[in-house]
Amino acid sequence: MEKMLHSAPIQATLPDCFIFPADKRPPATAAAASLPIIDLSRSRDEVRRAILDAGKEIGFFQVVNHGVSKQAMQDMEDVCREFFRLPAAEKAGLYSEDTHKATRIYSSTMFETGGERYWRDCLRLACSFPAGDSAMDWPEKPRRLREVVERFTVQTRGMGMEILRLLCEGLGLRHDYLEGDISGGDVVLHVNHYPPCPDPSTTLGLPPHCDRNLLTLLLPSMVPGLEVAYKGDWIKVQPAPDAFVVNFGCQLEVVTNGLLKSIEHRVVTNLGVARTTVATFIMPTTDCLIGPAGEFLSEENPPCYRTLTFGEFKRIYSVVKLGSSLNLTTNLKNVQKEI
Ligand code: OGA
Ligand code: NI
């Protein structure tokens, strides 16, 4: 629990273990950009096309009128901030470094870096669908957390499944092609909390990484921090009000044989205010076998990726040194060759 940043005394200088080598630090300037905004209430034809275009062009987009109620979003933001403000003693029992634990709080780690820690605390929660008893070990405080998280997750997953159906239709696949085991694992939530940082110029909130799951839906906070790799550089994301930021996970890249790309992104910190975001990950089941689908293969398009179970993929991908690829989109093909 001493490793949690948000409950430690405020530090005037950044401890050495958080300092990244000079070539991996965030550059002083990154261009700000508004990601494409897709209004999910427009005609199905229009939305389908917009998602595919944005997906192919940049791999990240925002959605509005997405069916998750303002109340559910606001309650989730509030309750997550309240959680991180609870006295440390109330959260100590949830602290764990065991990556197999479904519910835990932890700081830094998860992606390999050159050994540096990064400036993020995280509350991880898993939710099974159809709703099982996964909420049983969720935090008991704040009192309304379980109810708020459950409502938020049901609505957010609903939006994610709709985006997957739209993608399938746009790609000329059966509309339910991405239903079943490939999207049927537990929905995992990362409540990321980035406390104010004494020196944002020498560290990162999250190192460059690609999400390993199928589809990610981020409640981004109005405090900026997320940066996306684009044409060999980084762009800062400025979220639109009430929007979710959506990106494709590695499994969508593999299934479509690289037609859709999982784009590298990272988080920079800031001096002044804490930033809390909620990443909702739609995941395959651990045993689900995923490889390029026949629909994307031909003589000119041989498979570019290996077929692996999701469990194997996660194990292998987490040992690859992602932090080394700053400013370059992680090439999943090379990663898969290395193993
Ligand atoms: C993540 C992530 C971005 C953010 O949790 O995988 O990329 O802005 N989060 O917190
Ligand atoms: Ni991510």
Side-chain angles (χ1 to χ4, degrees):
M1 186 70 187
E2 315 79 62
K3 289 196 187 146
M4 296 301 286
L5 300 166
H6 72 282
S7 50
I10 290 174
Q11 286 152 324
T13 52
L14 189 70
D16 283 351
C17 58
F18 288 94
I19 299 181
F20 281 65
D23 62 330
K24 292 185 188 165
R25 292 178 193 171
T29 53
S34 172
L35 297 178
I37 299 175
I38 300 173
D39 180 346
L40 293 188
S41 66
R42 305 294 285 264
S43 79
R44 212 170 169 80
D45 228 21
E46 215 176 315
V47 174
R48 214 185 269 145
R49 212 165 326 117
I51 290 181
L52 261 193
D53 287 351
K56 285 183 187 165
E57 160 67 8
I58 167 163
F60 264 79
F61 53 92
Q62 306 184 66
V63 290
V64 293
N65 294 324
H66 38 57
V68 182
S69 71
K70 278 193 185 170
Q71 192 68 52
M73 294 169 82
Q74 189 63 56
D75 286 348
M76 188 67 182
E77 281 187 7
D78 292 347
V79 91
C80 291
R81 280 199 293 254
E82 282 163 37
F83 174 81
F84 282 101
R85 282 200 297 262
L86 289 172
E90 303 265 21
K91 291 170 286 194
L94 286 165
Y95 182 82
S96 173
E97 294 180 13
D98 176 359
T99 53
H100 297 292
K101 248 185 125 205
T103 305
R104 63 184 184 117
I105 58 169
Y106 60 100
S107 190
S108 224
T109 63
M110 181 158 116
F111 300 108
E112 291 269 318
T113 58
E116 308 83 18
R117 293 185 60 200
Y118 37 92
W119 200 259
R120 173 193 74 150
D121 289 340
C122 183
L123 163 65
R124 181 200 198 269
L125 301 168
C127 207
S128 58
F129 280 86
D133 54 4
S134 45
M136 298 296 281
D137 64 350
W138 291 356
E140 287 172 0
K141 285 184 183 168
R143 207 175 33 81
R144 60 187 187 126
L145 179 138
R146 292 185 179 187
E147 176 201 322
V148 167
V149 170
E150 187 163 339
R151 191 165 346 107
F152 174 85
T153 312
V154 167
Q155 293 188 18
T156 305
R157 177 177 183 273
M159 162 180 65
M161 297 309 292
E162 179 63 8
I163 292 173
L164 289 175
R165 278 190 290 274
L166 286 156
L167 265 175
C168 288
E169 293 171 11
L171 291 168
L173 302 169
R174 277 193 339 261
H175 72 95
D176 60 353
Y177 193 91
L178 294 172
E179 285 174 23
D181 284 354
I182 193 159
S183 55
D186 281 356
V187 173
V188 170
L189 263 56
H190 281 179
V191 181
N192 300 306
H193 182 76
Y194 310 94
C197 174
D199 186 3
S201 68
T202 55
T203 191
L204 288 167
L206 273 181
H209 68 280
C210 293
D211 297 342
R212 292 173 292 188
N213 50 303
L214 187 69
L215 187 74
T216 305
L217 310 148
L218 181 78
L219 185 64
S221 153
M222 289 313 279
V223 178
L226 175 62
E227 296 189 352
V228 175
Y230 185 64
K231 298 191 172 158
D233 218 333
W234 293 103
I235 50 173
K236 283 184 190 300
V237 173
Q238 279 175 339
D242 301 323
F244 274 81
V245 172
V246 182
N247 66 290
F248 305 142
C250 295
Q251 305 311 317
L252 258 182
E253 179 166 340
V254 172
V255 171
T256 61
N257 201 34
L259 184 66
L260 302 178
K261 294 274 190 300
S262 178
I263 300 297
E264 200 169 38
H265 51 288
R266 66 177 189 182
V267 174
V268 297
T269 60
N270 78 79
L271 261 175
V273 275
R275 172 170 186 261
T276 306
T277 66
V278 183
T280 302
F281 299 112
I282 297 197
M283 300 265 199
T285 56
T286 308
D287 296 335
C288 181
L289 201 56
I290 304 162
E295 286 80 351
F296 299 96
L297 301 177
S298 63
E299 228 158 85
E300 305 83 73
N301 289 306
C304 296
Y305 306 91
R306 288 173 53 185
T307 298
L308 297 166
T309 66
F310 181 52
E312 257 177 306
F313 181 94
K314 273 195 302 189
R315 186 181 56 75
I316 294 162
Y317 198 62
S318 69
V319 301
V320 175
K321 231 175 143 202
L322 291 177
S324 59
S325 61
L326 199 87
N327 264 352
L328 284 173
T329 298
T330 303
N331 192 334
L332 199 55
K333 284 185 207 171
N334 288 341
V335 169
Q336 287 207 322
K337 264 188 229 134
E338 269 178 49
I339 39 189

